[in-house]
Amino acid sequence: MATETQTGAAEQGAGLAFHPMDQFIVKPLFGDGAVGLFTVTNVTLWMALTVLAIIGLMVLGTSSRSTIPSRIQSVAELCYGFIRKMVEDVAGKDALPYFPYVMTLFLFILFSNFLGLIPGSFTTTSHIAVTAVLAMLVFLTVTLMGFIKHGAGFLSLFWISSAPLPLRPILALIEVISYFVRPVSHSIRLAGNMMAGHAVIKVFAAFAPMIILSTGIGLIVTPMSILAITAIYALEVLVSFIQAYVFTILTCVYLKDALHPHH
Amino acid sequence: MATETTAAAQGHVSPLALEEAGKCVDTHGGAIGLPQLCGEWMGNQVFWLVVALVIIFFVLSRIALPRIGAVLAERQGAITNDIAAAEDLKAKAVSAEEAFNKAEADARTAAQAIIADAKAEIKGDLDEAMAKADAEIAAKAAEGEKAIAEIRNNALANVTEVAKAATKDIVAAMGGKADAKTVNAAVTARMKG
């Protein structure tokens, strides 16, 4: 506590360690070297845990194949039914071949989000690099599939035939812009939500040890920050599911556009 | 905290300068700006993401989803079969109930017929007995009436006799001479009136 004796104003700031963004740092698991393309990092660890959790639920949980399901098998069936129904309802019956693809995205995001809520963990979905790849996968799939299935007819997605003729070019311009903004909003929505919540929790966590520095104001600040961490954590649990759901349902909506581009 | 002060004393490099140099962490391993925007790490993340997605996709599409789909279909089949069986049994129960109702209705009609027969038989017997009794009563009554008529006739004859005798006696007592024929005629005429 050398700094505290030196300057008055800097004392409190130096005593409380604010590093809300440190949790997002990618570092090698073994050694201290630079992060190369194939380096085993904390990203690798938490993605591996995500994969293992998904295998645990969807493969090991259903290994008994019982007609009367166990608890874990019920959960796996619930996920299956939930996403399958979503694909069927939103994108239509002919989108069912893409169900495993949508299921992959949903389960990966869901488990990454929830594993990221474990204190001290690394949230892979809080990184733009990760969510951008997910969003670009959806965008490219949808665009390519649209052109393969409908050829140039896919462009009728942008030509709204139900609108009055003079409005159509303007609407087409807006539609094209919104089409290309899709992957951006799709990826930033997920990463932004995850990052913001985790950063806020970390900021409140930094306020929590206030009672060690000052028994005066600390008596108020410490309980309040702990309360705030609890509340935000509860919110984050909700957000973790909702963001996975939103990402998946938007994927289905985009799939519908590719399969049925005519308004 | 001591290290921090010494590091600062040694000439702390400003975060902005580090960021411009393409560094993502400062000398203490803390984040500079948004770690999400650090280009150095992106390749690594994308690589491991693709690996993870490929594994998940193959595990899901080859093992998990067909298995769950089969389990759900099997359950649906079992439920459909059970419902069909239940419906079969229900139909059987309904037909059994119908048969029972029919048997009951038949039994009821038969019972009604038996009751009606018994009633008719009893009525016949009763009528017969009544008729017999009526006839007997009528015979008795006729007999009685006959006896009464006889008694009355006898009585009338007696009274006529007595009246004639009395009249003769009275006439004789009055000092008249009673002609039997005249007295008889007069008494008979009076008795008629």
Side-chain angles (χ1 to χ4, degrees):
Chain A
M1 297 291 158
T3 40
E4 277 177 44
T5 48
Q6 286 173 3
T7 44
E11 265 175 41
Q12 302 240 316
L16 296 174
F18 286 97
H19 299 299
M21 304 317 266
D22 282 10
Q23 58 179 322
F24 302 119
I25 291 174
V26 176
K27 34 184 176 280
L29 272 192
F30 310 106
D32 249 355
V35 177
L37 188 58
F38 307 118
T39 316
V40 177
T41 56
N42 47 357
V43 178
T44 321
L45 172 68
W46 288 98
M47 281 186 183
L49 288 176
T50 305
V51 171
L52 288 179
I54 292 171
I55 292 175
L57 173 68
M58 302 301 285
V59 177
L60 303 184
T62 60
S63 56
S64 63
R65 300 159 194 256
S66 26
T67 311
I68 299 157
S70 60
R71 281 184 200 177
I72 190 156
Q73 193 184 327
S74 298
V75 175
E77 284 171 10
L78 199 72
C79 287
Y80 180 95
F82 180 62
I83 300 302
R84 195 187 166 89
K85 197 171 177 311
M86 191 195 285
V87 172
E88 216 175 310
D89 288 355
V90 177
K93 262 208 158 19
D94 45 349
L96 278 181
Y98 303 96
F99 165 57
Y101 177 68
V102 178
M103 191 76 177
T104 304
L105 291 177
F106 175 72
L107 286 179
F108 176 78
I109 296 168
L110 187 77
F111 276 92
S112 297
N113 289 356
F114 277 129
L115 286 173
L117 283 175
I118 298 171
S121 71
F122 178 81
T123 319
T124 50
T125 40
S126 68
H127 275 261
I128 297 282
V130 171
T131 58
V133 170
L134 295 173
M136 283 311 290
L137 273 178
V138 173
F139 180 77
L140 291 177
T141 312
V142 164
T143 311
L144 287 177
M145 203 175 70
F147 278 115
I148 290 168
K149 286 220 167 196
H150 304 281
F154 181 57
L155 292 174
S156 68
L157 179 66
F158 307 116
W159 195 251
I160 300 159
S161 48
S162 57
L165 193 59
L167 274 178
R168 278 182 215 172
I170 304 163
L171 285 176
L173 186 67
I174 295 170
E175 287 283 320
V176 169
I177 293 171
S178 83
Y179 188 81
F180 284 100
V181 169
R182 273 175 183 185
V184 179
S185 67
H186 207 184
S187 57
I188 289 181
R189 182 182 301 113
L190 175 58
N193 267 288
M194 297 320 294
M195 185 189 80
H198 286 71
V200 168
I201 289 180
K202 215 53 171 199
V203 168
F204 279 121
F207 276 112
M210 189 67 135
I211 195 148
I212 302 169
L213 301 179
S214 145
T215 40
I217 198 162
L219 275 177
I220 306 162
V221 172
T222 298
M224 276 186 71
S225 61
I226 290 172
L227 201 73
I229 292 170
T230 315
I232 303 274
Y233 194 92
L235 185 71
E236 278 304 288
V237 171
L238 194 69
V239 166
S240 288
F241 173 73
I242 289 176
Q243 286 308 317
Y245 175 75
V246 164
F247 194 97
T248 317
I249 205 161
L250 282 175
T251 304
C252 292
V253 170
Y254 300 161
L255 267 177
K256 192 196 115 206
D257 281 350
L259 292 167
H260 317 282
H262 312 285
H263 285 278
Chain B
M1 296 293 138
T3 48
E4 228 170 78
T5 38
T6 46
Q10 279 166 6
H12 189 76
V13 193
S14 86
L16 273 176
L18 278 171
E19 211 172 351
E20 272 171 23
K23 296 265 183 171
C24 304
V25 288
D26 59 25
T27 45
H28 311 295
I32 304 170
L34 272 181
Q36 275 84 353
L37 299 179
C38 178
E40 201 183 309
W41 300 332
M42 284 184 179
N44 182 270
Q45 287 174 306
V46 171
F47 171 72
W48 289 113
L49 171 68
V50 170
V51 171
L53 286 182
V54 167
I55 295 173
I56 297 171
F57 181 78
F58 276 100
V59 165
L60 286 184
S61 60
R62 291 291 146 88
I63 308 170
L65 298 183
R67 181 189 289 172
I68 297 175
V71 168
L72 290 179
E74 199 178 294
R75 182 174 312 147
Q76 196 56 47
I79 290 170
T80 315
N81 282 347
D82 286 358
I83 287 173
E87 249 160 40
D88 220 38
L89 290 175
K90 200 182 169 195
K92 272 184 190 161
V94 166
S95 67
E97 201 191 348
E98 265 166 19
F100 168 76
N101 282 344
K102 197 168 171 287
E104 201 194 5
D106 285 354
R108 245 175 233 283
T109 345
Q112 293 290 353
I114 291 168
I115 290 168
D117 277 359
K119 261 191 188 162
E121 204 173 301
I122 290 165
K123 199 165 186 297
D125 285 356
L126 197 65
D127 285 351
E128 207 176 298
M130 286 280 255
K132 207 172 161 193
D134 278 352
E136 261 169 40
I137 290 163
K140 283 256 163 98
E143 227 167 81
E145 255 167 38
K146 206 172 149 196
I148 289 164
E150 214 168 274
I151 289 162
R152 181 180 286 160
N153 286 345
N154 286 349
L156 200 59
N158 289 346
V159 169
T160 317
E161 282 304 303
V162 171
K164 283 174 184 172
T167 311
K168 272 174 203 165
D169 287 350
I170 291 163
V171 170
M174 295 289 266
K177 203 178 162 205
D179 177 12
K181 218 174 168 181
T182 323
V183 170
N184 278 356
V187 170
T188 307
R190 277 286 171 189
M191 294 277 285
K192 268 179 196 160

